[in-house]
């Protein structure tokens, strides 16, 4: 069925996005250097597991709906409806969280960069210097604007040569810009998933009633002579 393929593609898209977000170089760099007191690491892992569970639920719902159509099974149809409803109940809180905490991910990620940068600025021989260099190379940025005016030494030791000579992009702005685009894409995919799960619940409900009433119609007109 075309609907089944659409739901499976949606599930695979969510799984792919979750995997890219979790194992992407920029995300893993920030996650590895973040402190336990910072919320980013918790958000990073929670988003991955939520995305994988959601994708599996949608794919399972699509398979159950397809099998229910072929076998005309009310039980499989009810199970498909339950999977769609479960996905819907997970998507609504996720979308609400994104709406009410619109900048929490960006702020927590920039806080991690701020912490590493200040550690290097206070002590340039710190092991944090390698972490800061990796972040600069991953985001193609160089340092941040500071009111102290004493950050040139940090940029010279941690930024890629091309970024130093060309006065590279401020890292806080680059992180914010990158995450804003990524989170807008995530929010759009959440909206599409919510629409499809509502459609899936309506479709499975209609299928359940169709199977139920068609079963009753088969029994009409059949009499037993005694």
């Amino acid at each position: 069925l075309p609907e089944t393929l659409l739901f499976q593609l949606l599930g695979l898209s969510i799984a792919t996005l979750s995997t890219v977000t979790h194992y992407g170089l920029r995300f893993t760099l920030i996650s590895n250097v973040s402190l336990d007191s910072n919320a980013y690491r918790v958000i990073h892992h929670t988003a991955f597991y939520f995305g994988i569970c959601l994708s599996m639920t949608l794919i399972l719902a699509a398979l159950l709906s397809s099998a229910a159509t072929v076998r005309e099974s009310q039980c499989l149809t009810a199970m498909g409806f339950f999977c769609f409803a479960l996905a819907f109940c997970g998507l609504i809180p996720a979308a609400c969280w994104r709406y009410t905490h619109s900048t929490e991910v960006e702020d927590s990620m920039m806080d991690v960069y701020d912490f590493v940068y200040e550690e290097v600025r206070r002590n340039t021989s710190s092991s944090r210097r390698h972490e800061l260099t990796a972040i600069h190379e991953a985001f193609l940025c160089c340092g941040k604007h500071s009111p102290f005016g004493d950050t040139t030494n940090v940029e010279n030791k941690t930024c890629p040569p091309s970024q130093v000579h060309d006065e590279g992009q401020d890292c806080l702005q680059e992180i914010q810009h990158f995450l804003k685009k990524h989170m807008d894409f995530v929010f759009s995919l959440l909206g599409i998933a919510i629409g499809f799960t509502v459609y899936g619940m309506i479709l499975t409900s209609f299928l359940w009633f169709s199977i139920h009433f068609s079963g009753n119609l088969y029994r009409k007109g059949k009499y037993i002579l005694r």
Side-chain angles (χ1 to χ4, degrees), residues 26-27 98 105-107 109-110 139-141 169-185:
R26 295 180 176 184
F27 295 103
R98 173 55 188 161
V105 180
E106 291 93 332
D107 290 344
M109 202 168 187
M110 289 189 290
F139 284 92
L140 297 177
C141 60
Q169 181 72 27
D170 182 282
C171 279
L172 293 179
Q173 294 180 1
E174 187 65 24
I175 290 172
Q176 187 178 31
H177 179 65
F178 165 75
L179 269 180
K180 186 179 183 304
K181 290 195 298 183
H182 185 80
M183 295 306 293
D184 286 345
F185 182 74

Side-chain angles (χ1 to χ4, degrees), residues 111-175:
D111 285 344
V112 173
Y113 178 81
D114 261 332
F115 168 76
V116 176
Y117 186 91
E118 292 302 321
E119 284 285 301
V120 175
R121 189 176 68 84
R122 293 191 192 99
N123 182 10
T124 54
S125 64
S126 170
S127 59
R128 294 287 185 183
R129 187 172 61 186
H130 299 290
E131 297 169 349
L132 186 63
T133 302
I135 293 173
H136 286 162
E137 291 176 351
F139 284 92
L140 297 177
C141 60
C142 183
K144 64 176 184 176
H145 298 300
S146 173
F148 298 105
D150 58 351
T151 59
T152 305
N153 194 39
V154 177
E155 276 87 4
N156 287 335
K157 293 190 176 182
T158 60
C159 292
S162 59
Q163 295 290 325
V164 176
H165 297 316
D166 299 337
E167 295 184 357
Q169 181 72 27
D170 182 282
C171 279
L172 293 179
Q173 294 180 1
E174 187 65 24
I175 290 172

Side-chain angles (χ1 to χ4, degrees), residues 74-93:
Q74 287 182 272
C75 179
L76 291 176
T77 305
M79 292 173 64
F81 177 86
F82 174 77
C83 288
F84 282 122
L86 186 65
F88 180 78
C89 291
L91 283 166
I92 292 298

Side-chain angles (χ1 to χ4, degrees), residues 7-70:
F7 285 120
Q8 289 178 339
L9 285 174
L10 179 61
L12 289 174
S13 300
I14 294 173
T16 302
L17 179 63
S18 301
T19 304
V20 169
T21 302
H22 190 261
Y23 293 104
L25 175 62
R26 295 180 176 184
F27 295 103
T28 53
L29 275 174
I30 299 296
S31 179
N32 290 337
V33 301
S34 64
L35 299 176
D36 293 335
S37 58
N38 189 282
Y40 179 76
R41 187 175 295 179
V42 175
I43 297 173
H44 183 74
H45 292 295
T46 302
F48 172 71
Y49 293 119
F50 173 80
I52 294 300
C53 291
L54 177 62
S55 65
M56 292 175 63
T57 303
L58 287 174
I59 293 173
L60 179 60
L63 293 175
L64 288 171
S65 301
S66 179
T69 305
V70 174

Side-chain angles (χ1 to χ4, degrees), residues 212-226:
H212 177 73
F213 288 118
S214 65
N216 289 337
L217 287 173
Y218 290 146
R219 290 191 290 271
K220 286 185 177 180
K222 295 183 179 179
Y223 304 93
I224 300 174
L225 298 176
R226 294 186 178 179

